[in-house]
Amino acid sequence: MPIKDLDALEHSNPCANPGLDEILACDPTRRRLLQGGLGAAGLALFGTPAWGAAARAAGRPAIGFAPVAAAAEDRVRVPAGYTVEVLYAWGDPVSDGPAFRDDAGNTAAEQALQAGMHHDGMAFFPFREGGRPSSRHGLLCVNHEYTDDGLLHGDGMKTWSAEKVAKSQAAHGVSVIEVREEGGRWQVVRPSKYARRITASTPCLLSGPAAGSPLLATAADPRARLALGTLNNCACGQTPWGTYLTCEENFNGYFAAGDEQALDADHKRYGIRPQGYGYRWHEHDERFDAARHPHEPNRFGWVVEIDPWRPDAPPIKRTALGRIKHESATVTLARDGRVVVYMGDDERFEYIYRFVSRHRFDPRDPAANRHLLDEGTLFVARFDEGGEGRWLPLVHGQDGLTPEHGFRDQAEVLVKTRQAADRLGATKMDRPEWIAVHPRSGEVYCTLTHNGRRGGPQRPGPDAANPRPDNVFGHIIRWREAGGDAAAGRLRWEVFVLCGDRASPVAHRRGNIRGDVFGSPDGLWFDAEGRLWIQTDVATSALNRGDYAAFGNNQMLCADTATGEIRRFLTGPHGCEITGALTTPDGRSLFLNIQHPGETGSVRSDPQRPSAVSAWPASQFGPAFGTRPRAATVVIRREDGGVVGG
Ligand code: FEO
Ligand code: CA
Ligand code: CA
């Protein structure tokens, strides 16, 4: 089974929230719309003419680069007039530490002092320079989502040992590194008092309503206050008080249970399976044996807050934000200053969530801000016909979230967030990934990467917000909160773009992109001027094949949300995913992660031929990078020093 290819996995949501197929049964107009293949006329029904006007009024940024063509090369290609350099690759030391060994001979202890594998979401925390945020010096927090153990160990998984499990765990988690531009080049500052690695075994505090709950208690931690490690750190968020939010996504895959009988319905609702995803950690670390430690999986699936400025401060799992397969945790402020966090649960037919804090952010009270994510209300989204939507609160005692339905208290509502959202009738989405908030208009955009099973046998059919059956290319939805207040109870939404080729012979796969075609949108980020950067994650088993034959390698595009124009900015090396885009405050240096170059649709890389698919970054930047494909953070700049994208 592929590590990353979630298409191979079953979805876990058996609940009966209605799909559009049921609504269609009594609405012939909508039925004709879908039978007609959702052409432009049909799409107009989802639109609201005010969207473009609102974005324009908010200030429309220029997109000034010439697009690059789709490509399948073993390199990062950027537009003419741009440069790309590697900053931080798998195995690079975070500070003064052990160098990367190209034979994968670094020990677990050494790996714990080096960049982990498979960089994903990240955030930049500028130092202050002349009283302003610096664009030349900062801390970078980088997620390391998962490992390819065929590549991580010299002989792959041919033999298996406690040392290999420890190395795999050490290659997960988060890097905090100090970075500085000096002499025209960005470099990692070594040594740095801020540099650290947080791994799958780093002690993390449990905080918020579910901390201390018996559902999180284990033999090693009967008080349920201290979990070991964070893992499958996917997308992220950044708070106004200067901390990093890292999101635990496919945590279920690390647990095994021996057989089906060892797993209860709650475990199954989160996709925990007898054999996991094949990481084999449970063979040498019994806390990943869910039969022996059934509460250990409950200690993952959270948003974890890290203070990059305090290297001794433990990460904190903020349980008030719910337990799901967290993709992003995008932070904005409500009108009255309360903190709002948008989050997706990335699995087929799962939901979009929003947390609203009880207390307000106060820039003058850093001590109080540290606890803002511990108290508040978690909501789940329902996208209704006609472009209306509602945020449904997940509050114990309300709407059937009661003991007779399996929710003894708010802690149980949060540990079983998915089951609570099922009861409330939330809208099942096509795999929510990243969420981005327009810096001026406050409009919210969310990638729905794809869902080839929508409309399949005994699956939910299309609905208004997920309008295509067999949605192999994905789409991006956007919404506006009522009254422009991120804490409002109602919203208006529309589909921003349906991905895929406009000329597809298959009507329901036809896209409506104005510009360069792409599919499987995943990473999503607004720059300060309002350009929307879209990064793609076509599954490695689909890349450059079948429906994706003409799409090239994974890529990054830039969208004008007022006109809908989308232009391809970058193409990546073989087998990679593009993720994590952000710029320095001045917009002149763009950091980006090239995740899992060389990955194939097979289980893990062949340790005998680790570079059979890709030798990036060496293939582009020379033999100093070794021969193995290595995930890396790159920096992209304009040769004329201008704003990236402008
Ligand atoms: Fe880790 Fe859903 O991407
Ligand atoms: Ca993702
Ligand atoms: Ca993805």
Side-chain angles (χ1 to χ4, degrees):
M1 181 177 60
I3 315 167
K4 177 66 174 164
D5 186 355
L6 298 178
D7 281 339
L9 303 173
E10 188 54 89
H11 72 269
S12 313
N13 190 349
C15 84
N17 294 353
L20 188 62
D21 41 356
E22 289 133 278
I23 297 164
L24 286 174
C26 53
D27 186 339
T29 311
R30 299 282 299 140
R31 188 159 57 234
R32 272 199 303 277
L33 172 64
L34 282 181
Q35 286 166 348
L38 283 168
L43 290 166
L45 291 180
F46 300 130
T48 51
W51 288 99
R56 265 186 213 101
R60 185 180 153 205
I63 297 180
F65 61 86
V68 301
E73 311 166 305
D74 201 27
R75 61 182 293 123
V76 176
R77 186 170 289 281
V78 290
Y82 282 81
T83 62
V84 55
E85 58 194 294
V86 175
L87 176 68
Y88 183 60
W90 161 50
D92 285 348
V94 290
S95 186
D96 271 352
F100 176 68
R101 283 184 54 173
D102 189 44
D103 63 355
N106 288 115
T107 63
E110 288 171 337
Q111 175 63 78
L113 300 171
Q114 298 172 322
M117 267 194 158
H118 292 5
H119 308 29
D120 204 330
M122 63 180 161
F124 180 78
F125 297 84
F127 284 87
R128 293 192 79 79
E129 198 173 66
R132 305 176 59 152
S134 173
S135 287
R136 297 178 59 242
H137 189 200
L139 301 180
L140 204 55
C141 293
V142 184
N143 286 349
H144 302 290
E145 189 183 26
Y146 66 102
T147 54
D148 174 347
D149 285 74
L151 196 59
L152 183 67
H153 314 291
D155 67 348
M157 298 180 82
K158 195 172 168 192
T159 61
W160 200 236
S161 64
E163 165 70 10
K164 286 187 170 179
V165 170
K167 186 175 181 184
S168 184
Q169 292 178 347
H172 280 70
V174 179
S175 289
V176 181
I177 54 174
E178 183 177 344
V179 295
R180 185 197 289 272
E181 186 197 7
E182 271 178 325
R185 274 191 75 84
W186 278 94
Q187 294 174 37
V188 178
V189 176
R190 300 184 176 102
S192 166
K193 68 176 183 182
Y194 299 102
R196 64 167 155 162
R197 278 298 319 287
I198 291 153
T199 73
S201 45
T202 301
C204 300
L205 301 176
L206 291 161
S207 183
S213 163
L215 293 170
L216 268 61
T218 61
D221 178 32
R223 294 179 58 245
R225 298 285 174 183
L226 192 70
L228 287 184
T230 181
L231 49 80
N232 214 263
N233 303 81
C234 184
C236 58
Q238 190 167 15
T239 67
W241 53 94
T243 60
Y244 182 62
L245 303 178
T246 183
C247 299
E248 299 180 334
E249 193 192 13
N250 294 302
F251 67 91
N252 57 313
Y254 297 83
F255 291 90
D259 61 57
E260 202 77 25
Q261 282 68 43
L263 296 171
D264 62 21
D266 291 328
H267 278 134
K268 289 177 183 171
R269 182 66 186 83
Y270 280 84
I272 295 172
R273 311 158 132 225
Q275 298 307 322
Y277 290 1
Y279 286 97
R280 297 177 59 187
W281 288 6
H282 64 290
E283 295 176 24
H284 293 284
D285 185 348
E286 68 170 60
R287 77 188 168 98
F288 291 94
D289 181 338
R292 296 177 74 174
H293 300 283
H295 286 178
E296 189 67 24
N298 294 349
R299 295 148 70 88
F300 294 90
W302 304 103
V303 171
V304 186
E305 186 171 9
I306 294 169
D307 188 341
W309 302 104
R310 296 195 303 159
D312 296 332
I316 304 174
K317 300 199 176 196
R318 298 292 186 188
T319 64
L321 277 63
R323 177 173 169 262
I324 55 176
K325 292 187 181 180
H326 275 287
E327 184 75 23
S328 58
T330 304
V331 180
T332 191
L333 294 178
R335 277 250 170 94
D336 60 6
R338 285 179 291 162
V339 179
V340 174
V341 188
Y342 291 108
M343 302 171 285
D345 183 353
D346 182 11
E347 194 177 306
R348 292 182 195 84
F349 306 114
E350 293 300 338
Y351 310 123
I352 293 173
Y353 296 85
R354 184 190 69 175
F355 170 83
V356 180
S357 68
R358 179 174 174 192
H359 301 290
R360 299 172 187 185
F361 167 64
D362 182 350
R364 295 158 303 178
D365 192 353
N369 294 335
R370 294 195 180 284
H371 307 292
L372 284 173
L373 300 183
D374 277 343
E375 283 185 83
T377 305
L378 185 65
F379 299 82
V380 67
R382 197 185 73 203
F383 296 94
D384 296 330
E385 293 283 297
E388 299 288 332
R390 279 177 179 272
W391 289 108
L392 312 170
L394 300 172
V395 176
H396 182 253
Q398 298 181 12
D399 301 311
L401 303 181
T402 53
E404 55 269 31
H405 294 125
F407 302 98
R408 277 166 294 185
D409 52 21
Q410 185 64 18
E412 190 152 18
V413 169
L414 294 167
V415 172
K416 296 170 18 182
T417 300
R418 284 182 164 185
Q419 294 90 320
D422 292 344
R423 277 209 78 79
L424 267 59
T427 302
K428 295 176 176 179
M429 309 300 288
D430 284 346
R431 293 191 51 193
E433 298 246 29
W434 288 53
I435 297 174
V437 179
H438 191 285
R440 293 176 206 159
S441 72
E443 289 169 6
V444 189
Y445 290 66
C446 178
T447 48
L448 298 157
T449 195
H450 57 254
N451 181 356
R453 294 197 186 159
R454 189 172 286 278
Q458 300 182 330
R459 312 283 192 216
D463 60 33
N466 302 274
R468 293 192 288 194
D470 189 22
N471 183 10
V472 298
F473 293 121
H475 59 291
I476 300 175
I477 192 172
R478 62 181 171 185
W479 66 87
R480 191 182 306 147
E481 306 283 8
D485 184 356
R490 291 170 177 267
L491 56 92
R492 281 203 65 80
W493 65 269
E494 69 163 19
V495 172
F496 171 58
V497 65
L498 294 172
C499 304
D501 195 335
R502 285 184 302 278
S504 170
V506 184
H508 68 258
R509 292 192 179 167
R510 218 167 275 158
N512 65 351
I513 298 170
R514 293 193 54 211
D516 294 321
V517 297
F518 65 99
S520 298
D522 187 336
L524 198 68
W525 181 73
F526 273 109
D527 67 27
E529 296 180 1
R531 294 178 203 84
L532 183 65
W533 297 87
I534 304 163
Q535 300 123 66
T536 72
D537 175 22
V538 179
T540 47
S541 58
L543 209 51
N544 291 305
R545 298 189 186 102
D547 295 316
Y548 279 95
F551 283 56
N553 290 348
N554 275 311
Q555 54 198 265
M556 179 160 75
L557 307 102
C558 185
D560 178 333
T561 57
T563 64
E565 185 203 350
I566 297 178
R567 230 181 266 187
R568 187 180 298 106
F569 178 83
L570 172 149
T571 58
H574 295 319
C576 80
E577 166 185 345
I578 306 294
T579 182
L582 59 91
T583 66
T584 46
D586 66 3
R588 292 167 197 272
S589 295
L590 183 141
F591 298 99
L592 189 71
N593 281 326
I594 308 299
Q595 195 193 77
H596 64 70
E599 186 169 279
T600 67
S602 62
V603 178
R604 273 147 177 108
S605 291
D606 179 350
Q608 304 302 313
R609 303 166 61 236
S611 56
V613 176
S614 169
W616 192 90
S619 57
Q620 183 171 5
F621 298 100
F625 288 94
T627 57
R628 284 171 191 260
R630 297 167 69 186
T633 303
V634 298
V635 188
I636 294 165
R637 288 182 289 177
R638 266 168 63 170
E639 290 169 350
D640 66 4
V643 171
V644 174

